[in-house]
Amino acid sequence: MNIDVKDHAALSDVFNEDEDRVNWHDETLWWIRQKRDKAVNQLPEWESLRETASQIKNNVLSYLSNYLQQFEANATKNGIKIHWAADAKEHNEIVLGLLQSKQVKQMVKSKSMLTEECHLNEFLAENGIDVIDSDLGERIVQLAKEPPSHIVLPCIHKKKEEIGELFHQHLGTPAGNADPQFLTETARQHLRETFLTRKAALTGVNFAVAATGEFVVCTNEGNADMGAHLADIHIASMGIEKIIPERKHLGVFLRLLTRSATGQPITTYSSHFNKPRPGQEMHIIIVDNGRTIQLGREDFRNSLKCIRCGACMNTCPVYRRSGGHSYHNAISGPIGSILAPNLDMEKYADLPFASTLCGSCSNVCPVKIDIHQQLYKWRQVIVKNGYATTAKKASMRLMSFTLSTPSVYHVGGKAGRWVLKHAPFAVNNKFNPWYKHRDMPEPPKESFGEWYAKNKNGR
Amino acid sequence: MRVGLFIPCYVDQFYPDAAKATLQLLEKLGVDVIYPPKQTCCGQPMANSGFEHLAGGCNELFIKNFAEFDYVVAPSGSCVLHIREHLHDDKNPEVAAQLSSKVYELTSFLTDVLKVTYLPAKFPHKVGFHQSCHGQRGLHLSQMSELVAPGFSKPGSLLNMVEGIEIVPLNRIDECCGFGGTFCVVEEAVSAKMGKDRVEDHLEHAAEFITGVDMSCLMHMEGILNRKGSKVKVLHIAEILNGE
Ligand code: SF4
């Protein structure tokens, strides 16, 4: 592991310095998890819905190229222009090219984690294009010059007082005003002005229907529609895995998505786009960026089933207590931890270890991704590829030797207990990470094995 | 029925009372239990750290010790889950597969194999029950709060047979305690915070004891309780089910 890259443990160590904040973060996300529980328990068919969704996605991944070509043909027939991007760089250049062809210098963008993954905003800024994020949460982190910390709730790490301060600095609201309703209204006015003046809009894609060549964007604020309807050019960025075969399958996914995300029965706006309005241009950029590599990794391919609901983050006890930024990746939390090493195994070698493997993520996942099993498998791959520290390798070898050799284990265990009893300072010190917040167990005078040999021998 | 008793390494070394209670409980229920002395560890500490390839020695030893028993029982959901999912032997894959399906966590052995309906146990105290993730989500010892399905609990049904026991309710019924094997040192900050929060839930509901099917989670919570100077004790479920 490259030690000058800050890893999840070091970043969460910092996050945990402010315990009140950790408590607040944990409780906020747990509250959403509880809303999710309430919503899903109202549907007796919940588990079969998950199974259906999972199977639809399995089918999609097995015939991905067919569906993509079908989608391209149908969308083209509808008058939409399709572009293919092999990676983030190509995606960003296509966006820039389209904007330049229209001499557009300003763009409004609704939420798209793919553009975060591609670092589109930075790229466009370097090329003199001003982007305004129209999702309220995204706008807030944009003003704070931070990446989103959650895929559905981008500014969940910020308290309302901090948002008030940001608005005061950037949008001229009175200092000290943190009234959510007032702040929302301010943002609404500010964004309305943006929508009316931007000539270009970019949206993400939640679902692209192969059979009809249309796509669906889900937002709770209607901001995707506002941007796209008023702009002369609408660009939609989608990962290759966003395909579903037919329109009827939308019913399954739309029922799962928001219940899992926030506990709502359905997203406030599920906007269907199937052709440009007269005089408008509509473009879709279909992006690979490592997805076909993941598709080829059999153990990890079904991570591509993800519909980005964020439920795995809300339920993850580690995410709740470490914050999204500690994952140092556009997609944080459990799903981010299995997607990131695919993109760069060395840089993200820490993420599969940022889990207790409790399995809660796999249970909430509406498309039944075996997230915690994949975390376990990534650990094996990462170690095999040499991204473990020398110290860890050495200690693992020693442990393996001790535990594979009963005589060494018995002597070692006895010695260990002796040390704990007679020289606790040897282990109870600041170099022992266990001891920082926890006491060591009280060593018993004999092990069970020793007791058994004395008392039960010859049975 | 010959049952091999598997006592995971850290239980052997640090919590012999949990192991004794397991043995005595099984004997009390008429089971012929044998403890093979040359056992050590299931290999999980290596495997969960990404070094599954170094767990071969543990696998071999486990197979050598336990292959001939009708069942193997261990007082640890986590170790049993590891054996169930990862025990293998390249030379003898069938033996490993057969053995791993015969390995049971104590409470599931009592409910599923022995079908225990009565226990002569008494424990007149307020007890918090910690659902250990590997036992619960991995071995499905009880229903999980994330799923839409009828509730049940194997350890819970056994605890209900204990006279005088009062199981306290918890705010988060099955949240992880944060132990996670090497996670507890590699991710010290988050692990300790999770442990603190988990313990707090039990304390808030006035538990006098915290119990569970996994001594490792209990060891973690005990470390936190002791650091706080709390009087609350941890006890493996076997010690309660064996209590008189
Ligand atoms: S992995 Fe599953 S739970 Fe997590 S964001 Fe994706 S669909 Fe939602």
Side-chain angles (χ1 to χ4, degrees):
Chain A
M1 222 175 285
N2 192 344
I3 32 172
D4 42 71
V5 180
K6 275 240 169 171
D7 66 5
H8 182 271
L11 292 163
S12 14
D13 206 10
V14 175
F15 188 74
N16 271 270
E17 275 163 18
D18 184 350
E19 189 167 1
D20 287 342
R21 193 177 192 97
V22 178
N23 291 340
W24 167 79
H25 192 261
D26 167 57
E27 273 153 27
T28 312
L29 289 156
W30 184 256
W31 179 68
I32 300 168
R33 155 80 208 268
Q34 284 175 310
K35 290 211 314 189
R36 174 251 172 224
D37 292 352
K38 216 188 244 165
V40 306
N41 276 290
Q42 281 163 3
L43 298 187
E45 72 275 30
W46 181 253
E47 299 304 332
S48 73
L49 260 184
R50 288 175 72 218
E51 183 57 32
T52 308
S54 168
Q55 288 183 13
I56 296 170
K57 283 282 182 180
N58 280 339
N59 173 287
V60 166
L61 293 178
S62 302
Y63 299 101
L64 191 55
S65 66
N66 297 14
Y67 286 127
L68 283 167
Q69 286 170 39
Q70 195 189 348
F71 177 71
E72 178 180 38
N74 289 325
T76 310
K77 240 186 269 162
N78 296 344
I80 304 174
K81 184 110 202 331
I82 301 287
H83 309 260
W84 298 86
D87 54 20
K89 187 164 164 280
E90 256 184 53
H91 165 263
N92 293 350
E93 279 162 1
I94 293 169
V95 176
L96 180 65
L98 288 170
L99 297 176
Q100 284 172 341
S101 74
K102 295 264 147 204
Q103 279 113 37
V104 173
K105 291 244 167 265
Q106 292 180 316
M107 182 174 82
V108 61
K109 185 175 122 237
S110 85
K111 212 158 113 10
S112 146
M113 286 315 294
L114 175 60
T115 60
E116 291 295 331
E117 179 186 317
C118 296
H119 301 289
L120 176 71
N121 284 15
E122 293 92 311
F123 173 82
L124 290 181
E126 281 160 25
N127 286 282
I129 301 218
D130 177 33
V131 179
I132 285 210
D133 279 313
S134 63
D135 172 273
L136 179 56
E138 292 247 310
R139 183 66 187 134
I140 291 166
V141 288
Q142 194 182 27
L143 291 175
K145 299 195 168 48
E146 287 174 14
S149 67
H150 185 291
I151 58 175
V152 175
L153 313 153
C155 71
I156 196 72
H157 60 292
K158 286 221 171 298
K159 297 191 176 183
K160 61 181 193 299
E161 291 73 23
E162 293 161 335
I163 297 168
E165 178 56 27
L166 271 174
F167 277 29
H168 169 61
Q169 279 171 24
H170 297 275
L171 305 178
T173 56
N177 192 328
D179 175 46
Q181 204 173 345
F182 171 73
L183 295 178
T184 312
E185 186 53 32
T186 306
R188 185 172 288 147
Q189 297 301 337
H190 156 70
L191 287 170
R192 182 157 301 160
E193 202 268 335
T194 308
F195 291 130
L196 290 172
T197 53
R198 304 284 147 140
K199 297 275 171 258
L202 188 144
T203 67
V205 169
N206 288 85
F207 306 99
V209 185
T212 56
E214 68 189 321
F215 62 97
V216 176
V217 182
C218 303
T219 70
N220 272 328
E221 297 161 22
N223 54 309
D225 312 57
M226 294 276 276
H229 289 165
L230 290 166
D232 300 335
I233 174 168
H234 174 187
I235 306 169
S237 297
M238 64 176 261
I240 53 171
E241 79 284 14
K242 293 287 174 182
I243 285 281
I244 58 172
E246 291 176 44
R247 212 183 233 172
K248 67 176 184 200
H249 299 131
L250 270 173
V252 175
F253 291 102
L254 291 177
R255 295 183 80 196
L256 287 167
L257 179 64
T258 332
R259 283 187 172 87
S260 300
T262 55
Q264 291 164 261
I266 194 162
T267 325
T268 317
Y269 300 88
S270 304
S271 312
H272 297 235
F273 295 93
N274 61 7
K275 58 169 179 282
R277 62 163 203 279
Q280 191 198 33
E281 277 181 30
M282 194 177 272
H283 298 262
I284 299 176
I285 313 175
I286 302 177
V287 186
D288 179 345
N289 204 35
R291 286 162 178 73
T292 48
I293 301 176
Q294 191 85 324
L295 193 64
R297 298 184 199 271
E298 209 190 319
D299 284 343
F300 305 108
R301 73 185 307 216
N302 79 13
S303 61
L304 296 173
K305 284 151 70 175
C306 177
I307 57 171
R308 303 285 190 266
C309 69
C312 55
M313 298 168 193
N314 304 340
T315 204
C316 177
V318 175
Y319 175 93
R320 280 188 260 115
R321 290 175 185 82
S322 58
H325 289 155
S326 66
Y327 293 81
H328 57 99
N329 179 43
I331 314 252
S332 55
I335 179 69
S337 299
I338 56 178
L339 291 174
N342 174 58
L343 288 172
D344 185 337
M345 215 185 289
E346 181 170 16
K347 186 170 169 202
Y348 300 114
D350 55 318
L351 293 185
F353 295 90
S355 166
T356 59
L357 305 181
C358 76
S360 186
C361 47
S362 306
N363 275 351
V364 290
C365 180
V367 289
K368 289 192 161 182
I369 301 174
D370 52 340
I371 307 174
H372 74 292
Q373 310 275 19
Q374 292 193 32
L375 288 166
Y376 176 89
K377 288 176 186 162
W378 263 124
R379 294 179 184 190
Q380 315 305 327
V381 174
I382 281 164
V383 168
K384 279 228 173 85
N385 281 277
Y387 301 117
T389 58
T390 327
K392 196 169 174 186
K393 281 186 217 154
S395 77
M396 283 296 152
R397 260 188 229 113
L398 179 67
M399 194 192 301
S400 162
F401 170 70
T402 311
L403 295 175
S404 311
T405 323
S407 55
V408 177
Y409 161 80
H410 289 304
V411 175
K414 209 172 175 129
R417 272 181 286 126
W418 190 90
V419 171
L420 268 183
K421 192 158 202 100
H422 301 283
F425 46 85
V427 282
N428 292 347
N429 60 49
K430 67 179 182 348
F431 299 109
N432 174 359
W434 173 278
Y435 187 68
K436 200 166 163 199
H437 292 105
R438 295 161 285 215
D439 281 1
M440 296 294 285
E442 181 76 27
K445 69 176 195 306
E446 59 185 5
S447 70
F448 173 73
E450 287 159 3
W451 175 86
Y452 191 89
K454 266 189 229 156
N455 295 280
K456 292 267 172 179
N457 222 357
R459 53 141 287 136
Chain B
M1 183 202 298
R2 283 176 81 248
V3 170
L5 181 62
F6 172 47
I7 299 300
C9 50
Y10 70 97
V11 179
D12 174 43
Q13 292 296 327
F14 291 113
Y15 297 96
D17 289 346
K20 283 179 222 168
T22 305
L23 174 67
Q24 285 161 2
L25 179 61
L26 288 169
E27 284 179 342
K28 204 186 274 179
L29 293 165
V31 183
D32 181 15
V33 194
I34 291 154
Y35 173 78
K38 284 190 175 149
Q39 54 177 292
T40 58
C41 167
C42 64
Q44 181 175 209
M46 277 87 75
N48 277 7
S49 308
F51 292 79
E52 201 187 305
H53 59 284
L54 294 182
C58 286
N59 283 334
E60 222 173 275
L61 201 55
F62 191 88
I63 294 169
K64 223 183 344 188
N65 278 314
F66 292 107
E68 17 102 33
F69 289 101
D70 299 321
Y71 293 98
V72 181
V73 176
S76 159
S78 189
C79 305
V80 168
L81 178 67
H82 174 75
I83 296 284
R84 284 265 180 103
E85 290 187 335
H86 302 295
L87 185 77
H88 63 264
D89 177 358
D90 291 340
K91 282 170 270 160
N92 255 324
E94 319 80 54
V95 176
Q98 227 187 18
L99 172 55
S100 64
S101 65
K102 291 189 298 192
V103 181
Y104 277 79
E105 177 281 328
L106 174 67
T107 64
S108 58
F109 182 74
L110 299 183
T111 51
D112 299 352
V113 181
L114 296 185
K115 305 201 191 304
V116 168
T117 51
Y118 168 80
L119 283 171
K122 206 182 205 169
F123 197 76
H125 298 284
K126 288 183 139 192
V127 175
F129 178 63
H130 174 67
Q131 310 260 20
S132 305
C133 306
H134 287 180
Q136 193 207 10
R137 298 201 184 83
L139 296 173
H140 213 161
L141 296 184
S142 49
Q143 193 48 268
M144 300 154 256
S145 64
E146 301 91 5
L147 301 182
V148 176
F152 72 93
S153 169
K154 294 176 190 179
S157 68
L158 292 166
L159 285 172
N160 281 335
M161 295 173 198
V162 176
E163 199 187 317
I165 198 167
E166 185 188 333
I167 304 290
V168 302
L170 296 172
N171 295 335
R172 302 187 187 182
I173 56 168
D174 54 8
E175 174 122 305
C176 176
C177 71
F179 173 67
T182 46
F183 181 86
C184 73
V185 290
V186 177
E187 289 262 359
E188 180 274 323
V190 177
S191 171
K193 177 62 182 150
M194 285 169 71
K196 268 167 106 174
D197 291 354
R198 199 64 277 207
V199 161
E200 219 40 63
D201 200 348
H202 291 267
L203 297 183
E204 205 183 288
H205 292 91
E208 300 163 67
F209 293 87
I210 301 179
T211 193
V213 301
D214 257 300
M215 209 57 233
S216 54
C217 309
L218 297 174
M219 170 171 78
H220 183 218
M221 290 193 274
E222 181 186 60
I224 284 167
L225 288 165
N226 289 350
R227 178 60 57 91
K228 279 172 77 84
S230 166
K231 297 236 167 343
V232 172
K233 296 263 166 269
V234 302
L235 273 183
H236 189 271
I237 192 167
E239 295 172 85
I240 293 181
L241 300 180
N242 190 46
E244 271 161 33

